[in-house]
Amino acid sequence: MTRIIMHGCNGAMGRTISSLAKDMADVRIVAGVDLNPQENGQYPVFASLEACQVEADVVIDFASARAVDHLLEYCGEHHLPVVVCTTGLTPEQVEKVKETSAKTAVLRSANMSLGINTLMNLVQNAARVLAGAGFDVEIVEKHHNQKVDAPSGTALALADSINEAMDQQYTYKYDRTKERVKRDRKEIGIQAVRGGSIVGEHDVIFAGQDEVVTFSHTAYSKAIFGKGALEAARFLAGKDAGLYDMSDVIAAAQS
């Protein structure tokens, strides 16, 4: 049984994960931490990690980027594995994730969905053929009107995965309105759309001469991210210190 502390338990994703965990036989959320420590009837809720004295195997974080620094410090000090799902981290916070992984197991992914992580592998393979043949690469991502970071962490992760596949490093272009120049062949355009209640849509477009190839992923529910987070927590519990991602979870499931 994997015992989990849900960090950000009263947020939208925290509630989703709590609901999903009830139907899983081998995981249990034993406590929650939230700035709004409202009890939910499922497990005790605390206003801080320090106040939470419940024994656990791993923390799932779906709070906010503002809370990540303290979370990492606490988990590193107490050698408590942590799944960092919060997006919009600064470069300094990403570096802090790496530093913390020297003390305890840390799993960080821009997107917890199995489908998105499979998409990353697909676009890497496509990039080697299509981008290598001169196709232009564009990414369009769409999310709900409450999302604060743009572009999404997933869009950046998709762009990074393409860069990893290519010998030539692409630059990222977020806004073409500031300059009137032709598109650079070695850039990836990344456009963000915010509106309504869109859970998440990502299109990776390879545009060549007289043909276009598009890879798409659509999330219809936040549940896909919650399921991935729970699988990640189950994977990470008991692991040695180190930095992990969803590819490790997928590889473990296939072995």
Side-chain angles (χ1 to χ4, degrees):
M1 176 69 71
T2 301
R3 301 168 297 174
I4 300 169
I5 293 174
M6 186 66 235
H7 188 249
C9 64
N10 285 332
M13 279 307 306
R15 294 193 300 271
T16 296
I17 291 172
S18 298
S19 178
L20 291 168
K22 290 190 297 183
D23 297 325
M24 297 178 66
D26 54 353
V27 302
R28 184 161 68 94
I29 298 180
V30 294
V33 174
D34 201 285
L35 287 177
N36 171 27
Q38 180 179 352
E39 294 292 335
N40 57 26
Q42 300 179 52
Y43 46 76
V45 179
F46 304 89
S48 68
L49 288 161
E50 286 77 11
C52 178
Q53 298 299 310
V54 180
E55 289 291 326
D57 303 302
V58 60
V59 175
I60 294 178
D61 167 55
F62 249 119
S64 72
R66 294 190 303 273
V68 163
D69 291 294
H70 178 255
L71 169 72
L72 293 172
E73 290 169 3
Y74 182 91
C75 290
E77 180 181 345
H78 292 82
H79 306 289
L80 182 60
V82 55
V83 179
V84 180
C85 306
T86 297
T87 60
L89 303 188
T90 65
E92 292 76 18
Q93 288 175 315
V94 173
E95 186 60 34
K96 195 174 186 69
V97 168
K98 297 177 182 177
E99 294 171 359
T100 304
S101 70
K103 304 175 184 177
T104 191
V106 180
L107 188 149
R108 175 178 176 263
S109 178
N111 190 300
M112 305 305 295
S113 154
L114 177 63
I116 279 290
N117 285 277
T118 301
L119 177 63
M120 290 181 188
N121 291 331
L122 291 173
V123 297
Q124 280 191 320
N125 292 331
R128 294 185 182 100
V129 177
L130 301 177
F135 281 57
D136 297 322
V137 185
E138 294 283 311
I139 297 173
V140 180
E141 58 95 345
K142 305 174 186 177
H143 284 86
H144 53 85
N145 58 21
Q146 299 301 303
K147 188 171 180 63
V148 296
D149 52 317
S152 69
T154 300
L156 292 173
L158 286 165
D160 289 344
S161 69
I162 293 170
N163 255 333
E164 290 171 9
M166 305 299 295
D167 293 333
Q168 172 69 41
Q169 291 292 296
Y170 286 76
T171 59
Y172 301 160
K173 177 73 73 172
Y174 306 114
D175 183 4
R176 292 197 174 94
T177 65
K178 295 181 179 179
E179 54 186 12
R180 295 179 60 83
V181 296
K182 290 175 61 177
R183 185 189 194 282
D184 192 307
R185 293 182 61 84
K186 292 301 181 180
E187 73 180 30
I188 298 176
I190 306 176
Q191 306 302 319
V193 176
R194 296 290 175 267
S197 58
I198 301 171
V199 176
E201 298 180 16
H202 292 84
D203 292 331
V204 182
I205 303 164
F206 293 90
Q209 189 69 33
D210 300 324
E211 61 179 330
V212 175
V213 179
T214 302
F215 293 84
S216 299
H217 178 274
T218 300
Y220 293 103
S221 164
K222 293 179 182 294
I224 65 169
F225 311 123
K227 290 175 183 176
L230 287 165
E231 290 297 330
R234 184 162 54 183
F235 163 84
L236 200 64
K239 287 289 187 295
D240 294 331
L243 186 59
Y244 303 85
D245 59 28
M246 284 300 288
S247 66
D248 298 304
V249 179
I250 294 171
Q254 294 173 335
S255 63

